[in-house]
Amino acid sequence: VLLFNKDDVFVTPLSEFATGTGTGITNINFPTSIASFPGVKDFVLAQSSVGVAYGAIWMRYDSTSEFEGWIPKFDPANGIDRFVDFVKPNRYQQPEAVAIDRASRDVFIADATLDSVFKFNSRGALKRESFGRYRSVVHGDTVMQQPTGLAFFNKILYVADARRNTILRFILTSDLPR
């Protein structure tokens, strides 16, 4: 991961996120997407899940008198986080994209192999609004096939469908204009 200052000047690569072949929560093999939270230095990174247990990592910035840098928001090594849906090992097969709802801090992750979009709340719990083939017992023609890109704006989730070469639009509210 590379760090740039507010003027987009290159600062330094971050050694705590160096690529490697390990299976730890901060080992990054093949990053596929990154999204940051507004007003803070926290971010979510998706990566190829080939050879890694964690296809997505949620990092938060911490600054104390003893430490300054990024740490996993949910770290299975701490024990209690093993029950957090976000860090369930091998949850994803091919996570390709991340988007963040800036208002609620919900996180969306698209998995191209599972033809699905996972939605997590800020506590790392998988939300019912997740959708796609992984939620359905029908494995035929699904609404989305190979989602590889996400964008979220004004309660609308846009999904790039690579197999169909389309952009799908999902309105995520019942507050529709009259």
Side-chain angles (χ1 to χ4, degrees), residues 6-20:
K6 64 183 172 126
D7 299 318
D8 287 336
V9 175
F10 177 70
V11 177
T12 181
L14 301 175
S15 61
E16 61 264 37
F17 298 113
T19 58

Side-chain angles (χ1 to χ4, degrees), residues 51-169:
V52 299
Y54 305 102
I57 57 174
W58 188 327
M59 302 302 288
R60 67 179 179 83
Y61 190 80
D62 195 19
S63 180
T64 66
S65 60
E66 294 139 15
F67 173 81
E68 183 173 3
W70 283 268
I71 58 174
K73 179 170 180 168
F74 310 112
D75 190 347
N78 294 340
I80 193 166
D81 292 328
R82 70 176 184 247
F83 300 108
V84 174
D85 295 327
F86 190 84
V87 290
K88 179 181 174 188
N90 304 307
R91 169 172 296 286
Y92 314 100
Q93 289 185 19
Q94 188 180 352
E96 289 288 329
V98 176
I100 294 173
D101 177 341
R102 298 171 67 87
S104 68
R105 296 179 57 91
D106 287 342
V107 173
F108 300 90
I109 298 178
D111 190 300
T113 298
L114 295 176
D115 299 329
S116 298
V117 173
F118 297 88
K119 182 179 180 183
F120 298 92
N121 68 18
S122 61
R123 293 178 311 282
L126 184 65
K127 295 184 82 169
R128 290 184 341 197
E129 295 88 13
S130 300
F131 59 96
R133 184 170 50 99
Y134 93 99
R135 300 271 297 188
S136 172
V137 293
V138 178
H139 294 287
D141 194 30
T142 60
V143 171
M144 153 181 72
Q145 295 183 356
Q146 200 174 359
T148 56
L150 292 174
F152 185 85
F153 178 74
N154 200 21
K155 299 182 182 178
I156 299 174
L157 180 68
Y158 299 90
V159 180
D161 187 319
R163 190 165 299 135
R164 293 184 177 167
N165 294 316
T166 59
I167 302 291
L168 303 169
R169 183 175 168 241

Side-chain angles (χ1 to χ4, degrees), residues 12-64:
T12 181
L14 301 175
S15 61
E16 61 264 37
F17 298 113
T19 58
T21 56
T23 57
I25 191 78
T26 58
N27 285 92
I28 298 173
N29 289 337
F30 301 101
T32 56
S33 183
I34 191 168
S36 61
F37 290 90
V40 294
K41 295 180 180 181
D42 301 3
F43 66 90
V44 175
L45 180 133
Q47 64 177 330
S48 169
S49 55
V50 175
V52 299
Y54 305 102
I57 57 174
W58 188 327
M59 302 302 288
R60 67 179 179 83
Y61 190 80
D62 195 19
S63 180
T64 66

